[in-house]
Amino acid sequence: MAEDDWDDESGDDWDDEEDFAAERSVYVGPNTARCKAEWRAARRWRCRVESALEHEGCPFSEWLVLDALRELSLELADDVNQNEVAARTTLERSTVSRIMHALEAKELVSRGPDLTGRAWRIYLTGRAVELLTRFGRAVEVASAERESGELSPQMVQDVDAGDEAGEVFGFAHDHD
């Protein structure tokens, strides 16, 4: 496109109806559309969870790492390698390292070198287990919310049924 085809004031080239019609007809397949819709839904979910966690004083990234550590501890029935947490959360290893330092300073995780000395082994402290249990209902409610911010009667029943069934958080072992 030539430089003079752009509208100098707004930075766009929608002055020409033909250009606008051609741009609207670009093919976006159903897979792309579905993935974009899922991504937007995930972003909205994250905003709702961030809001719920804000009331608890916990940043989303810290909750995400703690919950990944909880999941991996259950699956492996062992302490967890910091790199495994990075892979589970899809966060950069340096980001997970920074978050782990913050969690260790808050006494929510305990870290030590693994047998090779090349990686960190991590486990949740009793305090972290208590916090995750407390955060669990807030995150579940935020996850069940509709776009309008309301819960359907069925969602309320599902959340309550989970509480009654004791489906909060389980841990493979406790180091405290």
Side-chain angles (χ1 to χ4, degrees):
M1 182 177 284
E3 190 175 321
D4 59 339
D5 288 340
W6 288 91
D7 179 345
D8 292 333
E9 292 180 25
S10 67
D12 64 67
D13 64 336
W14 301 119
D15 294 337
D16 185 297
E17 279 296 317
E18 186 177 309
D19 287 341
F20 183 69
E23 188 69 24
R24 286 191 351 211
S25 67
V26 171
Y27 176 75
V28 174
N31 292 324
T32 301
R34 179 185 46 78
C35 288
K36 285 173 49 180
E38 289 173 2
W39 179 80
R40 286 189 296 269
R43 296 283 297 166
R44 289 188 297 268
W45 170 80
R46 179 180 175 157
C47 289
R48 290 191 309 269
V49 171
E50 282 178 337
S51 178
L53 290 172
E54 184 178 53
H55 297 294
E56 299 287 345
C58 179
F60 180 82
S61 59
E62 289 182 9
W63 170 80
L64 187 66
V65 167
L66 285 171
D67 195 57
L69 185 54
R70 178 196 62 80
E71 288 175 348
L72 288 163
S73 294
L74 284 170
E75 290 169 18
L76 302 173
D78 196 5
D79 296 343
V80 176
N81 177 311
Q82 193 164 298
N83 293 328
E84 293 167 325
V85 175
R88 173 63 58 97
T89 60
T90 67
L91 295 172
E92 294 291 327
R93 290 182 349 187
S94 60
T95 301
V96 171
S97 179
R98 181 183 49 78
I99 292 169
M100 286 296 181
H101 282 290
L103 294 173
E104 188 175 33
K106 294 177 181 181
E107 299 179 352
L108 297 175
V109 299
S110 184
R111 302 182 327 149
D114 71 355
L115 295 176
T116 67
R118 295 181 302 185
W120 289 100
R121 304 292 292 175
I122 303 138
Y123 66 89
L124 294 169
T125 65
R127 185 166 178 242
V129 172
E130 291 171 16
L131 287 176
L132 280 170
T133 301
R134 192 173 82 219
F135 298 161
R137 180 159 172 86
V139 171
E140 185 61 25
V141 168
S143 297
E145 284 181 3
R146 294 180 180 179
E147 293 300 311
S148 65
E150 299 174 7
L151 292 173
S152 72
Q154 182 60 49
M155 289 177 182
V156 171
Q157 285 179 340
D158 292 346
V159 170
D160 289 342
D163 286 348
E164 291 169 12
E167 298 172 6
V168 183
F169 293 101
F171 292 88
H173 61 283
D174 191 7
H175 292 277
D176 291 339

